[in-house]
Amino acid sequence: MASYKHILVGLDLSKESSQVLQKAADISGACGADLSLAHVIEPLTFAYGGDIPMDLSEVQEQLQNQAKDQLRKSADRLGIPAERQHVVLGQPATEIHRLAEEQEVDLIVIGSHGRHGLALLLGSTANGVLHGASCDVLAVRVHVNEQ
């Protein structure tokens, strides 16, 4: 296994994120690498294309605060300091690439749902991160816990 020094974990903060985080923590422990966490929120204006005639900044701020709180809880369980917890606005793959370069990351760990067919053709965050990263990328297959 390569000896990584700094691992960036891209989390979507879903229930399955814990699987991705655990795999990254295992690798970090084996290598003695620093672990950083990132969650990227797409601006609401991206989703709605500016078609909604209202100010979405308050809703966007609430989403960011909730994400920061969730990310902090995950980070606290692993002892990851605040300076290595990142909640950013933007396009997920682009922002993860930017953070990886800024933080001098040598491994990005992300979750993959293993989609097929049309979803695969349209692309996913995992696919976007893989293509264009300047370091190694590990896509962790997540399993949805169906009840």
Side-chain angles (χ1 to χ4, degrees):
M1 178 189 303
S3 183
Y4 297 109
K5 292 178 177 48
H6 192 176
I7 300 169
L8 176 65
V9 187
L11 299 171
D12 64 5
L13 302 178
S14 66
K15 284 187 267 185
E16 294 79 32
S17 288
S18 63
Q19 297 170 47
V20 177
L21 191 52
Q22 186 58 56
K23 180 67 79 172
D26 291 348
I27 295 168
S28 171
C31 296
D34 287 333
L35 210 52
S36 291
L37 306 182
H39 175 70
V40 182
I41 301 171
E42 289 194 69
L44 292 173
T45 53
F46 282 13
Y48 297 106
D51 291 341
I52 297 178
M54 61 188 284
D55 183 11
L56 297 172
S57 59
E58 190 173 318
V59 174
Q60 190 79 62
E61 187 175 335
Q62 287 175 347
L63 288 172
Q64 283 180 264
N65 289 337
Q66 288 173 350
K68 285 177 184 175
D69 188 50
Q70 281 186 271
L71 198 68
R72 182 184 45 75
K73 287 176 184 173
S74 294
D76 286 351
R77 283 193 287 277
L78 295 172
I80 299 170
E83 63 269 11
R84 287 192 269 131
Q85 300 171 35
H86 309 279
V87 174
V88 294
L89 273 174
Q91 196 280 330
T94 302
E95 293 303 318
I96 289 172
H97 291 153
R98 181 186 60 76
L99 275 171
E101 288 187 24
E102 278 179 11
Q103 303 293 313
E104 298 179 353
V105 165
D106 49 10
L107 176 65
I108 299 170
V109 178
I110 49 171
S112 174
H113 295 279
R115 293 189 175 95
H116 301 284
L118 188 58
L120 184 61
L121 288 174
L122 293 175
S124 66
T125 299
N127 194 39
V129 171
L130 178 63
H131 300 288
S134 58
C135 63
D136 290 351
V137 177
L138 173 63
V140 176
R141 176 69 52 107
V142 296
H143 303 282
V144 178
N145 299 326
E146 296 178 13
Q147 315 237 351

